Amino acid sequence: MKLVVVTAIAEFDKEVKKMLKEAKVLSYSYRDVKGYRDSTEDAVETNWFGSEMNETESIIFFAFVEKQNVDTLFDLVEKFNSKQETLSHIHTAVLSVEKHN
């Protein structure tokens, strides 16, 4: 069993839910969150927002996933991200679960 964390902009909500379903992750929790990006290190010409601090409507998902389904989810996310023309992507992380009940 692994704990998977998925973050994305709110606009990708339906896509993330579809990927979870395709990876046979039928139970998960999610929450609306504020994404934050500090753009002070960006060159002025590459900062689309024109400010140094940017907040974005985002979502975060948490799911306990069987080991065999983790790779499927990561493959789906990678495929989705490779087709994106926007700077925003879906991000995933996996954590080992030592104990659960």
Side-chain angles (χ1 to χ4, degrees):
M1 182 76 56
K2 303 286 186 178
L3 175 61
V4 174
V5 179
V6 180
T7 62
I9 58 173
E11 288 82 359
F12 293 160
D13 178 72
K14 289 180 183 176
E15 289 85 352
V16 173
K17 289 176 181 174
K18 182 180 175 192
M19 287 181 230
L20 289 166
K21 185 174 183 176
E22 285 182 45
K24 297 185 177 22
V25 179
L26 304 178
S27 297
Y28 54 84
S29 299
Y30 74 99
R31 183 162 181 88
D32 295 330
V33 296
K34 291 276 188 198
Y36 172 80
R37 183 168 188 275
D38 182 352
S39 300
T40 56
E41 300 296 319
D42 292 348
V44 173
E45 63 273 5
T46 62
N47 184 353
W48 289 23
F49 300 101
S51 68
E52 295 179 347
M53 292 183 245
N54 305 298
E55 287 187 356
T56 306
E57 298 298 322
S58 300
I59 48 176
I60 188 165
F61 290 80
F62 301 96
F64 288 102
V65 180
E66 296 295 329
K67 291 177 188 179
Q68 64 270 21
N69 297 340
V70 171
D71 288 337
T72 303
L73 180 60
F74 271 71
D75 291 343
L76 291 166
V77 170
E78 185 176 337
K79 183 177 178 181
F80 177 86
N81 286 340
S82 70
K83 294 179 181 178
Q84 289 307 302
E85 294 180 9
T86 63
L87 294 176
S88 189
H89 288 95
I90 296 172
H91 302 279
T92 51
V94 64
L95 307 161
S96 294
V97 177
E98 297 297 322
K99 233 177 163 180
H100 66 88
N101 57 9

